Amino acid sequence: MTALQFSLLPHRSVIAVGGADRVEFLQGLISNDTTKVAPGHAVWAALLTPQGRFLNDMFVADGGDDTLLLETERERAPALAKKLTLYKLRSKVTVEDRSATMEVAAVFGAGAEKLLPIEGAIAFVDPRLPGLGVRALAPVGTASALLQARGIAEASLEAYDALRLESGVPDGSRDLRIEKALLLENGFDELNGVDWKKGCYMGQELTARTKYRALVRKRLFPVSVEGALPAPGTSIHLDGQEVGELRSGSGRRALALLQTEAARGPGPLIAGGVQLIPTIPPWMRLA
């Protein structure tokens, strides 16, 4: 593991959900248990269509002052804020897109969790994998100074992305097709993105059926790329048969949605004329 570094994540931003009903409101919408959110402890979750397909991913953190902060994709934050506003009906909640006033950073390396708390920021250990470090939500333009004051060196976004890709962890709609992707094909079970004991939420029925009937036939795997990285969406073939599709990538690393048997097999897997070598990350449970 590298020494402590941080990367700014300009493609991520923040929505604030406030009001007396904020916890109950989100509890009925997203895949994780919002009652478990506490200072320094966040949950990772998804908002689904009624049919159980992916819409948005988010970290839900305690923002203080009777507010929950949703860290989510910047480009899609206004649409998510609008959707949440439509869902609130008579609930005593407020929804505010803070994309213009807050920014997001990831701190990674050995001992990142020992940084908490970080004065001037809302910070929490990444609930997906400890090795992904700490997320910090701070007023725009302040994250770099806050973290450098703690002796942490700034790294490029590509440095953090390399860690994420090697770990096999998805990054929102870069890896999950909107209104198509299933959570359990993309690691949300093992990566603590679904609470199986909470009450009902939108899209729960298909998610539960997928788990208990063992319907997962494809998974998102980390792959190494033996050549120039093909574009996201490039089809992957094994012996002339299509067995998957490339997702996000950087350099010689990428994620690929693959039939599980193809990922386990001897290969070779080919995408855009180059070979892909999949690995099964330690956290992944395969049937």
Side-chain angles (χ1 to χ4, degrees):
M1 182 67 74
T2 61
L4 282 186
Q5 303 177 79
F6 75 90
S7 297
L8 296 177
L9 307 182
H11 64 297
R12 305 287 294 184
S13 66
V14 178
I15 294 171
V17 178
D21 295 339
R22 64 194 182 282
V23 174
E24 180 182 359
F25 169 67
L26 288 173
Q27 187 78 330
L29 291 176
I30 63 176
S31 63
N32 217 326
D33 188 350
T34 53
T35 68
K36 295 179 178 179
V37 175
H41 179 77
V43 299
W44 185 50
L47 177 69
L48 306 176
T49 68
Q51 295 76 31
R53 306 287 176 163
F54 172 80
L55 282 175
N56 303 87
D57 83 319
M58 65 197 73
F59 296 92
V60 184
D62 187 332
D65 299 323
D66 297 327
T67 301
L68 295 174
L69 298 180
L70 314 185
E71 186 222 301
T72 191
E73 294 179 76
R74 178 172 294 274
E75 286 189 1
R76 303 181 62 231
L80 175 57
K82 182 177 180 180
K83 185 178 292 290
L84 293 175
T85 300
L86 292 174
Y87 283 144
K88 73 178 187 179
L89 301 176
R90 295 184 180 179
S91 298
K92 295 177 181 177
V93 296
T94 60
V95 179
E96 178 189 359
D97 182 358
R98 294 189 179 177
S99 298
T101 60
M102 297 194 74
E103 62 185 2
V104 180
V107 185
F108 52 101
E113 71 283 355
K114 297 177 183 178
L115 290 170
L116 299 180
I118 298 175
E119 187 175 355
I122 302 297
F124 52 88
V125 175
D126 192 314
R128 300 171 299 180
L129 290 175
L132 291 176
V134 165
R135 313 283 283 202
L137 318 182
V140 68
T142 68
S144 289
L146 286 173
L147 296 171
Q148 288 175 351
R150 300 287 294 269
I152 307 168
E154 184 167 2
S156 66
L157 175 59
E158 288 73 21
Y160 174 76
D161 226 22
L163 172 64
R164 177 187 68 82
L165 293 166
E166 185 177 12
S167 302
V169 174
D171 187 20
S173 63
R174 297 174 67 193
D175 295 303
L176 283 77
R177 294 288 184 256
I178 299 167
E179 297 186 354
K180 292 184 179 180
L182 299 176
L183 295 191
L184 302 196
E185 291 180 347
N186 293 278
F188 271 74
D189 188 3
E190 302 100 313
L191 295 173
N192 307 310
V194 180
D195 189 289
W196 300 105
K197 297 180 180 180
K198 63 171 283 185
C200 295
Y201 60 90
M202 191 162 64
Q204 179 190 31
E205 182 179 352
L206 177 62
T207 304
R209 189 165 67 243
T210 302
K211 179 178 177 67
Y212 296 118
R213 295 186 182 178
L215 298 177
V216 179
R217 300 289 184 265
K218 298 180 290 183
R219 294 297 304 263
L220 193 70
F221 291 92
V223 296
S224 58
V225 183
E226 302 295 296
L229 180 66
T234 300
S235 296
I236 302 169
H237 293 83
L238 172 63
D239 296 329
Q241 299 295 317
E242 185 173 339
V243 294
E245 186 177 280
L246 205 65
R247 295 293 194 245
S248 67
S250 178
R252 295 296 179 90
R253 294 186 177 94
L255 299 182
L257 188 68
L258 293 168
Q259 294 175 11
T260 55
E261 290 308 310
R264 285 168 157 160
L269 299 176
I270 305 297
V274 301
Q275 185 174 350
L276 308 179
I277 301 175
T279 57
I280 300 173
W283 57 262
M284 186 179 289
R285 298 190 298 268
L286 294 178

mmCIF file of all heavy atoms in Angstrom, residues 11-31:
data_model
loop_
_atom_site.group_PDB
_atom_site.id
_atom_site.type_symbol
_atom_site.label_atom_id
_atom_site.label_comp_id
_atom_site.label_asym_id
_atom_site.label_seq_id
_atom_site.Cartn_x
_atom_site.Cartn_y
_atom_site.Cartn_z
ATOM 1 N N HIS A 11 -15.737 14.581 -10.614
ATOM 2 C CA HIS A 11 -16.961 14.019 -11.194
ATOM 3 C C HIS A 11 -17.983 13.646 -10.123
ATOM 4 O O HIS A 11 -19.051 13.126 -10.453
ATOM 5 C CB HIS A 11 -16.634 12.791 -12.041
ATOM 6 C CG HIS A 11 -16.052 11.646 -11.268
ATOM 7 N ND1 HIS A 11 -14.854 11.716 -10.600
ATOM 8 C CD2 HIS A 11 -16.521 10.391 -11.047
ATOM 9 C CE1 HIS A 11 -14.598 10.557 -10.020
ATOM 10 N NE2 HIS A 11 -15.597 9.740 -10.269
ATOM 11 N N ARG A 12 -17.672 13.931 -8.855
ATOM 12 C CA ARG A 12 -18.593 13.650 -7.766
ATOM 13 C C ARG A 12 -19.003 14.954 -7.076
ATOM 14 O O ARG A 12 -18.231 15.918 -7.044
ATOM 15 C CB ARG A 12 -17.948 12.723 -6.729
ATOM 16 C CG ARG A 12 -17.401 11.426 -7.284
ATOM 17 C CD ARG A 12 -18.479 10.445 -7.654
ATOM 18 N NE ARG A 12 -19.221 9.967 -6.487
ATOM 19 C CZ ARG A 12 -20.172 9.034 -6.559
ATOM 20 N NH1 ARG A 12 -20.496 8.491 -7.721
ATOM 21 N NH2 ARG A 12 -20.812 8.646 -5.465
ATOM 22 N N SER A 13 -20.206 15.000 -6.542
ATOM 23 C CA SER A 13 -20.669 16.187 -5.829
ATOM 24 C C SER A 13 -21.653 15.782 -4.746
ATOM 25 O O SER A 13 -21.763 14.599 -4.415
ATOM 26 C CB SER A 13 -21.290 17.205 -6.794
ATOM 27 O OG SER A 13 -22.476 16.687 -7.355
ATOM 28 N N VAL A 14 -22.374 16.745 -4.192
ATOM 29 C CA VAL A 14 -23.138 16.514 -2.964
ATOM 30 C C VAL A 14 -24.550 17.080 -3.087
ATOM 31 O O VAL A 14 -24.753 18.182 -3.610
ATOM 32 C CB VAL A 14 -22.416 17.161 -1.757
ATOM 33 C CG1 VAL A 14 -23.230 16.973 -0.474
ATOM 34 C CG2 VAL A 14 -21.020 16.572 -1.581
ATOM 35 N N ILE A 15 -25.503 16.314 -2.580
ATOM 36 C CA ILE A 15 -26.881 16.765 -2.388
ATOM 37 C C ILE A 15 -27.178 16.690 -0.892
ATOM 38 O O ILE A 15 -26.825 15.697 -0.239
ATOM 39 C CB ILE A 15 -27.877 15.889 -3.166
ATOM 40 C CG1 ILE A 15 -27.673 16.053 -4.671
ATOM 41 C CG2 ILE A 15 -29.319 16.211 -2.780
ATOM 42 C CD1 ILE A 15 -28.464 15.066 -5.504
ATOM 43 N N ALA A 16 -27.794 17.715 -0.340
ATOM 44 C CA ALA A 16 -28.168 17.727 1.074
ATOM 45 C C ALA A 16 -29.656 17.428 1.219
ATOM 46 O O ALA A 16 -30.488 18.040 0.542
ATOM 47 C CB ALA A 16 -27.845 19.076 1.698
ATOM 48 N N VAL A 17 -29.978 16.493 2.093
ATOM 49 C CA VAL A 17 -31.373 16.178 2.418
ATOM 50 C C VAL A 17 -31.557 16.476 3.905
ATOM 51 O O VAL A 17 -30.925 15.847 4.762
ATOM 52 C CB VAL A 17 -31.711 14.705 2.119
ATOM 53 C CG1 VAL A 17 -33.152 14.397 2.523
ATOM 54 C CG2 VAL A 17 -31.497 14.395 0.640
ATOM 55 N N GLY A 18 -32.383 17.465 4.205
ATOM 56 C CA GLY A 18 -32.587 17.887 5.575
ATOM 57 C C GLY A 18 -34.026 17.712 6.013
ATOM 58 O O GLY A 18 -34.887 17.278 5.242
ATOM 59 N N GLY A 19 -34.282 18.060 7.268
ATOM 60 C CA GLY A 19 -35.646 17.999 7.783
ATOM 61 C C GLY A 19 -35.884 16.817 8.701
ATOM 62 O O GLY A 19 -35.136 15.839 8.730
ATOM 63 N N ALA A 20 -36.973 16.901 9.445
ATOM 64 C CA ALA A 20 -37.285 15.909 10.475
ATOM 65 C C ALA A 20 -37.486 14.510 9.910
ATOM 66 O O ALA A 20 -37.222 13.515 10.601
ATOM 67 C CB ALA A 20 -38.530 16.353 11.240
ATOM 68 N N ASP A 21 -37.949 14.397 8.659
ATOM 69 C CA ASP A 21 -38.260 13.082 8.082
ATOM 70 C C ASP A 21 -37.162 12.558 7.170
ATOM 71 O O ASP A 21 -37.385 11.606 6.416
ATOM 72 C CB ASP A 21 -39.573 13.162 7.292
ATOM 73 C CG ASP A 21 -40.781 13.457 8.162
ATOM 74 O OD1 ASP A 21 -40.699 13.219 9.388
ATOM 75 O OD2 ASP A 21 -41.799 13.920 7.624
ATOM 76 N N ARG A 22 -35.972 13.159 7.215
ATOM 77 C CA ARG A 22 -34.935 12.837 6.229
ATOM 78 C C ARG A 22 -34.535 11.356 6.234
ATOM 79 O O ARG A 22 -34.368 10.758 5.172
ATOM 80 C CB ARG A 22 -33.701 13.710 6.465
ATOM 81 C CG ARG A 22 -33.017 13.465 7.794
ATOM 82 C CD ARG A 22 -32.026 14.556 8.147
ATOM 83 N NE ARG A 22 -31.338 14.266 9.415
ATOM 84 C CZ ARG A 22 -31.882 14.454 10.604
ATOM 85 N NH1 ARG A 22 -33.108 14.935 10.707
ATOM 86 N NH2 ARG A 22 -31.200 14.162 11.703
ATOM 87 N N VAL A 23 -34.401 10.762 7.429
ATOM 88 C CA VAL A 23 -33.973 9.357 7.513
ATOM 89 C C VAL A 23 -35.067 8.438 6.991
ATOM 90 O O VAL A 23 -34.819 7.555 6.153
ATOM 91 C CB VAL A 23 -33.591 9.004 8.961
ATOM 92 C CG1 VAL A 23 -33.294 7.515 9.083
ATOM 93 C CG2 VAL A 23 -32.393 9.823 9.412
ATOM 94 N N GLU A 24 -36.290 8.633 7.460
ATOM 95 C CA GLU A 24 -37.405 7.798 7.021
ATOM 96 C C GLU A 24 -37.654 7.969 5.526
ATOM 97 O O GLU A 24 -37.963 6.994 4.822
ATOM 98 C CB GLU A 24 -38.658 8.170 7.813
ATOM 99 C CG GLU A 24 -39.887 7.352 7.441
ATOM 100 C CD GLU A 24 -41.116 7.784 8.229
ATOM 101 O OE1 GLU A 24 -40.998 8.703 9.066
ATOM 102 O OE2 GLU A 24 -42.193 7.211 7.984
ATOM 103 N N PHE A 25 -37.520 9.185 5.029
ATOM 104 C CA PHE A 25 -37.736 9.467 3.611
ATOM 105 C C PHE A 25 -36.788 8.657 2.738
ATOM 106 O O PHE A 25 -37.206 7.946 1.824
ATOM 107 C CB PHE A 25 -37.542 10.970 3.368
ATOM 108 C CG PHE A 25 -37.474 11.380 1.929
ATOM 109 C CD1 PHE A 25 -38.579 11.281 1.101
ATOM 110 C CD2 PHE A 25 -36.293 11.883 1.394
ATOM 111 C CE1 PHE A 25 -38.517 11.659 -0.229
ATOM 112 C CE2 PHE A 25 -36.213 12.277 0.068
ATOM 113 C CZ PHE A 25 -37.328 12.162 -0.744
ATOM 114 N N LEU A 26 -35.503 8.719 3.040
ATOM 115 C CA LEU A 26 -34.529 7.969 2.238
ATOM 116 C C LEU A 26 -34.638 6.468 2.470
ATOM 117 O O LEU A 26 -34.385 5.675 1.559
ATOM 118 C CB LEU A 26 -33.113 8.440 2.552
ATOM 119 C CG LEU A 26 -32.741 9.820 2.013
ATOM 120 C CD1 LEU A 26 -31.372 10.234 2.530
ATOM 121 C CD2 LEU A 26 -32.755 9.836 0.479
ATOM 122 N N GLN A 27 -35.056 6.078 3.663
ATOM 123 C CA GLN A 27 -35.172 4.657 3.984
ATOM 124 C C GLN A 27 -36.122 3.945 3.033
ATOM 125 O O GLN A 27 -35.913 2.784 2.686
ATOM 126 C CB GLN A 27 -35.647 4.503 5.431
ATOM 127 C CG GLN A 27 -35.645 3.083 5.953
ATOM 128 C CD GLN A 27 -34.257 2.613 6.344
ATOM 129 O OE1 GLN A 27 -33.253 3.032 5.778
ATOM 130 N NE2 GLN A 27 -34.199 1.705 7.305
ATOM 131 N N GLY A 28 -37.162 4.631 2.605
ATOM 132 C CA GLY A 28 -38.126 4.022 1.697
ATOM 133 C C GLY A 28 -37.734 4.066 0.238
ATOM 134 O O GLY A 28 -38.467 3.547 -0.611
ATOM 135 N N LEU A 29 -36.576 4.660 -0.045
ATOM 136 C CA LEU A 29 -36.173 4.831 -1.451
ATOM 137 C C LEU A 29 -34.927 4.054 -1.835
ATOM 138 O O LEU A 29 -34.843 3.551 -2.957
ATOM 139 C CB LEU A 29 -35.929 6.324 -1.739
ATOM 140 C CG LEU A 29 -37.141 7.246 -1.744
ATOM 141 C CD1 LEU A 29 -36.692 8.695 -1.955
ATOM 142 C CD2 LEU A 29 -38.132 6.834 -2.823
ATOM 143 N N ILE A 30 -33.941 3.970 -0.959
ATOM 144 C CA ILE A 30 -32.638 3.462 -1.369
ATOM 145 C C ILE A 30 -32.333 2.091 -0.753
ATOM 146 O O ILE A 30 -33.007 1.648 0.176
ATOM 147 C CB ILE A 30 -31.510 4.452 -1.036
ATOM 148 C CG1 ILE A 30 -31.380 4.674 0.468
ATOM 149 C CG2 ILE A 30 -31.758 5.775 -1.758
ATOM 150 C CD1 ILE A 30 -30.209 5.562 0.868
ATOM 151 N N SER A 31 -31.284 1.444 -1.278
ATOM 152 C CA SER A 31 -31.033 0.033 -0.987
ATOM 153 C C SER A 31 -30.368 -0.238 0.352
ATOM 154 O O SER A 31 -30.289 -1.398 0.766
ATOM 155 C CB SER A 31 -30.162 -0.568 -2.100
ATOM 156 O OG SER A 31 -28.892 0.068 -2.154
#
